[in-house]
Amino acid sequence: MIKTVPTKPYTDQKPGTSGLRKKVPVFQQEHYAENFIQSIFDALEGFQGKTLVIGGDGRFYNREVIQTAIAMAAANGFGKVMVGQGGILSTPAASNIIRKYKTFGGIILSASHNPGGPHEDFGIKYNAGNGGPAPEKITDAIFEKTKTISSFKIADIGTVDIDTIGTFKAGGITVEVFDPVKDYAELMESLFDFDAIRANFKYGFRMRFDAMHAVTGPYAKEILERRLGAPNGTCRNFKPLPDFGGHHPDPNLVHAKHLYDEMMGPDAPDFGAASDGDGDRNLIIGKGIFVTPSDSLAMLAANAHLAPGYKEGLKGIARSMPTSGAADRVAEKLGIGIYETPTGWKFFGNLLDAGMATICGEESAGTGSNHVREKDGLWAVLLWLNILAVRGESCKDIVTKHWEAYGRNYYSRHDYEEVETDRANALVDELRAKLGSLPGTSVRGLKIASADDFAYHDPVDGSVSKNQGIRILFEGGSRVVFRLSGTGTSGATLRVYIERFEPDKARHDLDTQQALADLIAAADDIAGIKNHTGRNKPSVIT
Ligand code: VG1
Ligand code: CO
């Protein structure tokens, strides 16, 4: 029943920030998905007879590739596959299943916040036995295998029923189709004070959760409405759709603008939240106030002890380099470690495994903790709900009090999407070449204190990751950071991260773009963004 099928390598299968992401028609090329899956298996050792978790975010092409992955796992010698019912499994839920059932690892099919559909994006990523995204050592090995692959193995088992919960044999392998929500909901119940949150809803606390037609819908329905008693209708767009209803399942102020508008309106609920394609990101908006992801990380860390799962306090906080320094101030006050890592959740795994960090976050709307090894959208929402229920204050009060206590880090990210790759590379090359000459010079009245290309030295395994983003640090603590996205699927996306610290309470309610205006202008002066990209303004501002 096992076939060995000859194939030819593709040259473009290098995993990015989070797995391999390409347009669906690229994945539909002959043996494209098979090559990558076989390369994953070829880069791993010791999985004979062991269990592989398989699931995805329900996007277009999900079901097809799940069948392929099951048949290939069988042919390559796995003993069992665990598949989320209907092929559905959020990224954090997959991480939990891998850890809880001590499986060998998992394959998650998702392009996360990227749009879905026949001409949109698809993705495949591998998570290791700790439940976290494969570290660079493994993704590099996978890429090497994709360059020389000459055949793949697949079992001839026909279409497996992934819609009915149960355990059966197919092609010599055990297939367990499980409820993708249950274990995750139990994990959340173990971390948070569900009684307090339930009581809050009972006494009229109102929230809106927008699942953006992505994978979090079933999780949010079960946890918020069924287990926590939020009124029916609290969750919107909760049915996962293969094309996310034609939208980008990216919970930011552009793609979730309707939620923002609602939260700023006269009859706004107390709390609004949204999640992305694969359920690992979160958007947090209180009544009348947007909470930036960097601020949210700091505020969750400062208040985490109010939730039962974190009542002993935190061991440390980790944030990606472009994420604002707001969390650093909390770590300092708590007297715990703060770690600065490159962009991408795979860099948090070692710190979490070593017990050095408890809470991690990224400016791109990802927050999570040591409960799994991925960022976790609903987790962040539930921690906020727990904090709101215990403190009995509004989100806005909690935010403004935090700024009063710690100061405010004004923060924004400007994205220039689908820039011609050559032009984006030219911008970065030019910037890199002049880094040495920048310190000591002034731009728009701002003096540059230092400039470098961020390199990370992992304190746990000693590995070094270079070229992780160009940092221009100004005297007084403001900064701009430049890097190219590693998740886009057409052209290049330039991300410019801008940050200014404001200790003065009287200056905490400025408009963010205005508060950062001189830095934004300085960023263009330094990098020649308009010249290089040919754009007058960013495509997305978050
Ligand atoms: C982006 C974000 C990064 C995040 C990654 C995956 O990467 O900036 O913080 O970890 O997406 O998130 P990049 O390379 O495009 O900047 V997800 O929710 O798309 O898995
Ligand atoms: Co995601």
Side-chain angles (χ1 to χ4, degrees):
M1 276 170 95
I2 293 174
K3 291 190 292 186
T4 301
V5 183
T7 187
K8 290 207 180 70
Y10 287 91
T11 55
D12 63 347
Q13 296 197 319
K14 186 174 168 54
T17 311
S18 178
L20 180 71
R21 290 189 198 173
K22 300 284 175 195
K23 295 282 176 213
V24 167
V26 174
F27 266 105
Q28 286 170 327
Q29 296 173 89
E30 190 183 34
H31 301 160
Y32 194 89
E34 289 87 341
N35 275 19
F36 190 70
I37 293 170
Q38 186 65 52
S39 298
I40 294 174
F41 295 157
D42 289 347
L44 302 173
E45 270 169 25
F47 54 76
Q48 298 301 316
K50 303 242 166 90
T51 301
L52 182 72
V53 174
I54 303 175
D57 63 8
R59 72 178 57 224
F60 186 87
Y61 212 41
N62 193 38
R63 296 178 68 93
E64 288 83 347
V65 180
I66 284 185
Q67 294 292 341
T68 305
I70 296 172
M72 289 184 66
N76 278 275
F78 278 94
K80 179 178 174 182
V81 288
M82 291 178 72
V83 186
Q85 185 184 25
I88 291 290
L89 197 54
S90 79
T91 286
S95 184
N96 179 45
I97 293 288
I98 293 169
R99 294 170 65 75
K100 183 168 176 181
Y101 297 103
K102 301 191 167 51
T103 73
F104 186 82
I107 287 181
I108 304 174
L109 307 175
S110 170
S112 192
H113 59 288
N114 300 18
H119 300 287
E120 299 296 351
D121 293 359
F122 191 74
I124 304 181
K125 61 178 173 173
Y126 177 71
N127 280 35
N130 72 342
E136 280 194 323
K137 198 172 56 170
I138 297 181
T139 55
D140 288 347
I142 295 171
F143 182 45
E144 286 309 310
K145 295 290 181 188
T146 67
K147 293 179 189 168
T148 56
I149 187 169
S150 58
S151 66
F152 63 87
K153 284 195 204 142
I154 189 159
D156 197 3
I157 51 177
T159 305
V160 172
D161 176 7
I162 58 170
D163 295 304
T164 314
I165 287 177
T167 303
F168 53 92
K169 287 262 182 200
I173 198 173
T174 303
V175 179
E176 180 182 343
V177 177
F178 64 94
D179 175 352
V181 175
K182 189 171 157 284
D183 296 278
Y184 179 84
E186 283 169 8
L187 175 64
M188 294 301 113
E189 276 188 321
S190 76
L191 296 173
F192 301 117
D193 188 343
F194 270 40
D195 288 337
I197 303 173
R198 204 178 288 117
N200 216 20
F201 280 126
K202 197 165 165 221
Y203 294 120
F205 180 89
R206 287 194 304 139
M207 98 171 267
R208 170 74 75 195
F209 183 85
D210 194 327
M212 302 187 85
H213 289 304
V215 79
T216 322
Y219 296 86
K221 264 275 177 202
E222 170 66 23
I223 295 170
L224 298 174
E225 295 186 9
R226 295 197 193 99
R227 298 197 185 203
L228 289 169
N232 201 6
T234 297
C235 300
R236 185 164 58 194
N237 300 328
F238 56 83
K239 196 173 179 307
L241 298 176
D243 68 347
F244 308 113
H247 303 290
H248 288 223
D250 190 347
N252 62 26
L253 298 183
V254 175
H255 298 297
K257 185 163 187 309
H258 48 275
L259 179 66
Y260 178 82
D261 291 343
E262 183 179 358
M263 295 307 299
M264 298 302 138
D267 189 35
D270 300 291
F271 190 66
S275 191
D276 73 332
D278 62 336
D280 56 0
R281 296 190 181 198
N282 68 89
L283 171 69
I284 300 294
I285 312 179
K287 182 180 181 136
I289 190 160
F290 161 61
V291 187
T292 69
S294 294
D295 271 351
S296 180
L297 170 66
M299 292 162 195
L300 291 178
N303 292 284
H305 61 279
L306 301 177
Y310 307 92
K311 64 173 189 295
E312 313 293 346
L314 310 179
K315 298 245 177 65
I317 307 173
R319 64 164 171 85
S320 67
M321 181 274 283
T323 302
S324 96
D328 304 29
R329 296 172 186 281
V330 174
E332 195 186 327
K333 181 152 179 215
L334 293 173
I336 57 176
I338 175 85
Y339 304 92
E340 190 176 35
T341 59
T343 295
W345 210 263
K346 57 180 174 246
F347 293 103
F348 293 132
N350 279 346
L351 295 168
L352 291 165
D353 285 347
M356 294 162 77
T358 307
I359 284 192
C360 309
E362 295 193 279
E363 54 64 43
S364 55
T367 341
S369 86
N370 58 355
H371 69 293
V372 288
R373 292 294 179 272
E374 287 277 6
K375 54 191 190 271
D376 187 344
L378 257 184
W379 171 90
V381 173
L382 290 165
L383 181 48
W384 263 106
L385 288 173
N386 194 143
I387 293 165
L388 288 162
V390 173
R391 284 186 53 166
E393 294 165 280
S394 72
C395 182
K396 192 169 191 167
D397 283 345
I398 290 175
V399 171
T400 48
K401 282 183 187 168
H402 186 97
W403 290 338
E404 272 173 38
Y406 295 91
R408 177 171 180 185
N409 291 69
Y410 280 101
Y411 188 86
S412 184
R413 186 177 96 189
H414 291 192
D415 290 339
Y416 297 79
E417 294 177 334
E418 297 189 37
V419 175
E420 282 167 52
T421 308
D422 291 347
R423 297 179 81 165
N425 287 336
L427 181 152
V428 171
D429 291 345
E430 213 171 87
L431 194 51
R432 241 178 223 142
K434 70 177 185 192
L435 283 179
S437 65
L438 288 175
T441 61
S442 288
V443 194
R444 307 254 168 180
L446 296 156
K447 190 153 186 207
I448 299 176
S450 66
D452 68 357
D453 201 342
F454 180 61
Y456 179 59
H457 298 257
D458 187 308
V460 179
D461 68 12
S463 61
V464 179
S465 304
K466 292 185 179 155
N467 301 333
Q468 297 295 326
I470 294 173
R471 308 188 281 189
I472 314 285
L473 308 175
F474 298 94
E475 280 183 359
S478 297
R479 63 173 187 163
V480 289
V481 173
F482 302 85
R483 61 178 282 282
L484 298 182
S485 157
T487 59
T489 57
S490 56
T493 293
L494 171 70
R495 303 202 196 284
V496 186
Y497 311 81
I498 309 127
E499 176 180 3
R500 144 165 299 137
F501 179 64
E502 178 55 73
D504 182 0
K505 183 185 160 192
R507 296 176 53 80
H508 282 172
D509 55 2
L510 305 178
D511 172 76
T512 298
Q513 299 306 314
Q514 271 160 20
L516 299 172
D518 55 345
L519 287 159
I520 292 167
D524 191 49
D525 287 356
I526 294 167
I529 302 169
K530 290 198 183 84
N531 276 344
H532 280 291
T533 63
R535 306 281 174 80
N536 286 325
K537 56 176 176 44
S539 1
V540 177
I541 295 180
T542 50

